[in-house]
Amino acid sequence: MKRLLSSFIMLFGFMASANAQDGCTIKSPDGNIAVSFTVTNGKPEYSVTLGGKTFIKPSPMGLKTNIGDFSAGMSTGEISQSKVSETYSLRNIKQSTVNYTANAATIDLTKDGSKRLTVEFRVSDRDVAYRYTVHPVKDTRVCTIDGEASSFVLPDGTTTFLCPQAKPMNGFARTSPSYETPYTVDDAAGKNGWGNGYTFPCLFREGEDGWVLISETGTDGNYVGCRLINNGGTNYQIGFPQPEEMNGFSSTSAMVSLPARTPWRTITLGSSLKNIVETTAPFDLTEQKYAPSQQYTYGKGSWSWIIGMDPSCNYDEQKRYIDFSAAMGYQSVLIDAFWDSAIGYDKIAELARYGKSKGVGIFLWYNSNGPWNDAPQTPIGKMNNPRIRRAEMKWMHDNGIRGIKVDFFGGDKQPMMQLYEDILADANDFGLLVIFHGCTLPRGWEKMYPNYAASEAVLASENLHFGQGACDNEAFNACLHPFIRNTVGSMDFGGSALNKFYNADNQHGSIRRTSDVFALATAVLFQSAVQHFALAPNNLTDAPSWAIEFMKNVPTTWDETKFIDGYPGKYVIIARRSGSKWFIAGVNAQKEPVKLTLTLPMFAANSAARLYSDDPQLVGSVKNVKINKKQQLLITIPCNGGMVVTE
Ligand code: CA
């Protein structure tokens, strides 16, 4: 009888929302998150609560197109609610198998008596997402989408953890924006970055109530890459690309066929940072766009450029790095810019054969240009043209090249988003993995494109080489990425250096401030299925043997990820599982050491564990420790230090 009653109430609940005139409420499966949708004076809006507390205040929705303004003068049409449940497996994200369960709502919006827009909501136990469908009316089969009213009005007192969108056609060789700007943390709301808003994802703290991460997913060649613009106070709105991107060429609008679906707007929320670190929203909401031409395998590699820069791009040095990767048991070397002139195609083919004999594949660097910026590095003019690109990729395929790294893209306008997709699709035809640098944020691409490996879209390890300031701030930034950039997509950071100096002689240049254990910990904290570490052949003899052994064996693919503790910019501790083996990794950026009693339910009571840790002078060691009967372990991480616990 009790069961009968509850099903009756559920049915009643559905009928009640279906009969509502101007809105509905969608709750998460656990009932904690509630989204309210209404149309007020013709304007669609939504709000979000968690545990009854407001996380998103009533916020505008809708689209502006050249066939009508669908953010005003709207009426609610048919509303239906349903449940979504999907189990999927991905080897290249933070969790290998995901069970996604959400409640969904589909809300039609009419204008002047015609159905013009449908809003779809998905509400899971940690994420809210919505997207739009624009409908054809009569013979109208195409339109431009010129902007979104989509906004996120946060509660008063919200603080921000954001990085600004760069001004276009600025920076090195006029290559910005490329999502390589510094974060400001614990900052007041109401600013607008450097005047151009903020890059996704955007993290906000709502006082003691919790955290919100706003981003987008599912963006492909049918749309533009978006950002957040501050409209004053705590009101943030979706912004389209800046007119000056791509040297001013091409519209900032999206050009679409109807019906057209937009990418998803995603809101991850929680009372702690757990949901932020563990979210799989970018992948829950997207679908594979083409079948893999082969089963792609990921793995580790080495990369001479980060220590040796352009002079290291020669045949002998690349051969030495192939030998180094082989000694480490790594799957690849990445050969950076100017290989076409400094080594040449025939000698690259020879290196590929040599690498194959040692079980080491080659990734080759390419310039994405094209006419969108001044980046002079070669090979150039190969990736922007489909005929030349496919011929180049056929040469790579015939010579056993493992993948490509394409750099210096031109912003977020639709032709650029199409170029990412076209490079990926063509590379799949030739069995190549793809890494992007100088690029936009990946938006669900691990699931959409099976040969996608990783993107930079962060102030990556190159800055550690370029200047001491980045080295001085390395720990601060490492304590941000697991909560922000890296939680929504694979991050090609290229770090974990064991050199003391960012220089081939290991005696000059930027000084590494962080410890060896810090380097090991970031190999776990920074997630990317393909990793090219900043290790150098000399590390085989000048780095501690326990550090080299760890770097030989650290996985790059994970079955599970758990937030343990931390605060953005201060310290972070995350647990990742590979097979049956857990790695609990942490780093600290604060002056004072982090001293914590970690509760580690993944370890049995009274079991043995290996602890990599630093002394106060950042001298690392590894020792056997015992997890106590309460499954706890006391750890200390000094400033710029790290720790890793494994079985
Ligand atoms: Ca870069």
Side-chain angles (χ1 to χ4, degrees), residues 52-67:
K53 291 174 180 159
T54 297
F55 272 61
I56 304 278
K57 290 161 72 171
S59 302
M61 304 183 86
L63 297 179
K64 302 199 181 206
T65 77
N66 72 344
I67 54 167

Side-chain angles (χ1 to χ4, degrees), residues 180 437-438 456 462:
E180 297 177 33
H437 265 236
E456 186 181 31
E462 61 188 9

Side-chain angles (χ1 to χ4, degrees), residues 88-98 278-284 298 444-447 452-453 486-490 527-529 556-561 576-577:
Y88 61 89
S89 294
L90 276 180
R91 289 306 297 146
N92 53 353
I93 64 167
K94 65 182 82 167
Q95 185 176 332
S96 58
T97 299
V98 179
E278 297 177 13
T279 183
T280 49
F283 321 106
D284 298 341
Y298 307 102
W445 295 357
E446 289 85 341
K447 194 175 187 191
Y452 169 79
N486 203 189
T487 194
V488 300
S490 301
Q527 180 269 322
S528 177
T556 63
T557 56
W558 303 101
D559 294 298
E560 206 174 337
T561 291
R576 297 196 199 273
R577 179 174 63 81

Side-chain angles (χ1 to χ4, degrees), residues 213-265:
L213 185 77
I214 296 170
S215 194
E216 62 179 359
T217 190
T219 310
D220 59 15
N222 289 314
Y223 215 70
V224 294
C226 296
R227 61 199 152 115
L228 272 194
I229 306 281
N230 183 269
N231 274 340
T234 56
N235 184 341
Y236 294 84
Q237 182 179 353
I238 292 288
F240 273 28
Q242 303 169 76
E244 303 84 359
E245 289 174 27
M246 292 178 71
N247 214 1
F249 178 77
S250 181
S251 167
T252 61
S253 300
M255 177 176 75
V256 295
S257 299
L258 302 178
R261 277 178 171 164
T262 68
W264 292 94
R265 313 272 150 244

